[in-house]
Amino acid sequence: MTTIHQVAEAAGVSISTVSYALSGKRPVSEKTRRRIEDAASTLGYTPDAGARMLAGRRTHIFALTEPLRADTHAPTHMAFVLAASIAARKHDYDILLLTDEQASDGMSRVTSSRLVDAILVLDVGPDDARADIARSIRTPTVFIGIPDVADGLTCVDLDFEAAGRMSIDRLADAGHTAITLIGQPAVSYRTSNFPRRLRRGVVSRAAEHGIALETVCSGEVSTDAGAVRAAVGAALARGDRAFIVHATGDAHEALLSALSDHGLTIGRDVSVISAATAFDTTALSAAVDTIPLVPSRSCDLAVEIALRHLEEKNVAPEIHLIPPEYRSAGSVRARTD
């Protein structure tokens, strides 16, 4: 690893002059500063985070607080971690991942140590303890998700309620009057807020259309294919021929398998919409219409907003909702009347 001593030697100046030039703590002539910066660039020297903190400069690190619990669906959550990391690197920032189940503890640590320039918050709960911390600290904090009480917070997320309403509207337009929502495992509605927000949109719009709606979970702690198949059987017995799925790929496959076992064809006999899904539903055993959840859209915007808070003073907290988009794959039947 290149040291400050080597940069000083290459530039022909003292160590203190290198420190002053790179930290901006004291004035250095333009000619000398450029010589030092050229030497540092050639040798690949970067001041460590501690030195930058002492100099009052940015650390070029974002904290990403993402609690990993027993019920966490790792593929979806890691897709957001990857998207946040890529978004940060576009702006020469690194990510410090905080995965403590007690995520608020890690958030407090990095704030008190001034190790990071900003904080990104993932997997937001209905009553998230990190919300109060964000309101009390000066470190810019952006939630990728929205708690029940979002006053004073900056949040970015897919408009899950609008996605739920869009699902109902599409099925209502196809003539369906009875719909079943197969949602996340039951524990997710207690620990995360996005499933509750989508369900609220589904429930409210179904009531507006006068649609008979049944909502079921795809399991208790994780996806249970048996529970999904049982829910499908009960729905078909009631006469439901339309399904909205807000769950994992395993839940989708269990639904499609159950419908196939009953001799029903997707897009002809029954309609299926996958709402707020982060994986490719066209790769399922039967392609399914989707309202996609695109991690990069939320994470790119969250990073841009965090940088804006660093560059500008007194940026007002705001909720940024990303409008949902509908992608058709032929899994909703044509209206027959």
Side-chain angles (χ1 to χ4, degrees), residues 40-269:
S41 177
T42 300
L43 295 172
Y45 174 75
T46 302
D48 63 34
R52 290 196 297 269
M53 285 188 291
L54 290 173
R57 301 179 68 194
R58 295 184 188 175
T59 64
H60 279 267
I61 300 172
F62 286 154
L64 181 65
T65 163
E66 160 71 332
L68 296 181
R69 301 180 297 266
D71 62 288
T72 296
H73 183 246
T76 299
H77 288 271
M78 292 312 295
F80 274 87
V81 172
L82 177 60
S85 300
I86 292 173
R89 285 308 309 155
K90 290 177 184 176
H91 300 277
D92 295 324
Y93 267 80
D94 293 313
I95 290 290
L96 174 64
L97 185 59
L98 308 175
T99 59
D100 305 29
E101 186 163 346
Q102 298 298 324
S104 56
D105 293 342
M107 188 171 170
S108 297
R109 285 197 307 273
V110 297
T111 299
S112 61
S113 66
R114 296 192 300 167
L115 180 61
V116 301
D117 293 334
I119 300 172
L120 307 177
V121 180
L122 284 176
D123 195 10
V124 179
D127 183 19
D128 202 304
R130 294 170 293 178
D132 284 339
I133 296 175
R135 294 185 184 100
S136 67
I137 61 178
R138 297 181 61 183
T139 305
T141 302
V142 180
F143 284 67
I144 303 174
I146 306 172
D148 280 346
V149 180
D151 297 346
L153 301 178
T154 296
C155 304
V156 173
D157 208 2
L158 173 70
D159 191 339
F160 280 89
E161 291 193 33
R165 294 191 295 268
M166 181 181 284
S167 301
I168 290 291
D169 288 342
R170 183 68 182 85
L171 294 173
D173 289 345
H176 291 287
T177 57
I179 299 171
T180 294
L181 167 65
I182 299 176
Q184 300 278 321
V187 68
S188 297
Y189 291 88
R190 298 190 294 271
T191 59
S192 300
N193 212 25
F194 68 91
R196 294 154 58 114
R197 290 165 50 213
L198 184 132
R199 187 170 62 183
R200 280 199 297 267
V202 168
V203 170
S204 65
R205 189 66 106 212
E208 292 175 19
H209 282 288
I211 288 173
L213 176 69
E214 189 76 16
T215 64
V216 298
C217 294
S218 54
E220 286 298 319
V221 176
S222 59
T223 299
D224 180 345
V228 174
R229 294 178 68 87
V232 173
L236 296 177
R238 289 192 303 269
D240 295 9
R241 292 297 183 271
F243 298 86
I244 299 170
V245 192
H246 182 215
T248 66
D250 290 344
H252 285 70
E253 288 293 8
L255 164 69
L256 296 175
S257 176
L259 293 175
S260 178
D261 289 347
H262 282 84
L264 300 172
T265 299
I266 310 298
R268 186 187 71 190
D269 305 313

